[in-house]
Amino acid sequence: IVNVSAIGLEDACTMNGMPIMLVNGESFTSKKRGVHVVDIEYDLLLKALYGGKEVLSVDELELKNYINYKSFDTFGVKQDGANFLQHLNSIKNRNIVILATWDSAERYWPSDAFKFFQYTLKMPSKVNSIGFRESFCLIAQNGIAQPYTSCVKKAKGIGPAQLNVVIKLGKDISV
């Protein structure tokens, strides 16, 4: 289960002043302005679940061992825009990608990030920009169009942008 809330600083509900990124109940965020990215090592997780003599439950695993978390101040640090795009491009194919903004992220947000969302994450949305203190979040699988692939963007003061998704981790014979 994935719960994501992206928050612009002027949104009516500030939710304790930080974005929320919960994966199976575990939090993966910090109180930093900009964009927060979680990617789940999909193939390693499937191997851990189905690769042994017994099929395991996600609850039996230390989920943090399969999750990478990074944040980028794409509002205040110019280099973080380039670092964010470089990080997106380094995410392994098939990994599940979760993204949320907090406060404001637009000043150094790379325009190519939306191309990455459209072509690499197979994001069907026409979202192609982010404005001052707008809330934006997404959930997708790198390289594969999934039924749960989606993003939400809310104008300044209208957020938070929220997504709640159950991702089924079925046995995959290619792992």
Side-chain angles (χ1 to χ4, degrees), residues 6-17:
I7 303 158
L9 195 60
E10 295 176 23
D11 288 343
C13 174
T14 60
M15 302 167 111
N16 298 323

Side-chain angles (χ1 to χ4, degrees), residues 1 3 12 33 42 46 55-56 62 76 113-114 143 149 160 164 166 169:
I1 298 172
N3 307 94
R33 171 182 62 196
Y42 185 77
L46 286 186
V55 175
L56 300 176
E62 283 288 330
F114 290 102
T149 298
N164 298 295
V166 174
L169 297 173

Side-chain angles (χ1 to χ4, degrees), residues 8 18 20 27 30-31 35 53 63-64 82-83 93 117 120-121 141 150 162:
M18 64 186 291
I20 295 172
S27 178
S30 63
K31 190 174 181 177
V35 61
K53 293 182 182 201
L63 202 52
K64 66 183 176 189
N83 292 343
N93 198 35
F117 301 154
T120 307
L121 297 183
Q141 188 171 12
S150 56
Q162 297 181 300

Side-chain angles (χ1 to χ4, degrees), residues 22-53:
L22 297 173
V23 179
N24 210 37
E26 291 186 48
S27 178
F28 294 93
T29 52
S30 63
K31 190 174 181 177
K32 291 184 178 179
R33 171 182 62 196
V35 61
H36 299 257
V37 183
V38 164
D39 74 280
I40 302 171
E41 298 268 356
Y42 185 77
D43 288 337
L44 289 177
L45 184 56
L46 286 186
K47 188 173 183 179
L49 291 171
Y50 298 106
K53 293 182 182 201

Side-chain angles (χ1 to χ4, degrees), residues 78-118:
K78 187 173 185 175
Q79 186 59 41
D80 271 9
N83 292 343
F84 169 49
L85 188 59
Q86 183 179 15
H87 177 72
L88 289 176
N89 286 314
S90 73
I91 295 173
K92 293 176 188 170
N93 198 35
R94 295 171 43 92
N95 278 14
I96 296 168
V97 180
I98 307 161
L99 183 144
T101 59
W102 182 72
D103 184 4
S104 200
E106 90 291 345
R107 184 180 290 162
Y108 301 117
W109 182 282
S111 60
D112 284 349
F114 290 102
K115 291 178 186 170
F116 176 86
F117 301 154
Q118 183 180 7

Side-chain angles (χ1 to χ4, degrees), residues 50-69:
Y50 298 106
K53 293 182 182 201
E54 295 181 19
V55 175
L56 300 176
S57 162
V58 170
D59 296 331
E60 297 176 83
L61 300 175
E62 283 288 330
L63 202 52
K64 66 183 176 189
N65 294 332
Y66 305 93
I67 292 181
N68 305 303
Y69 167 75

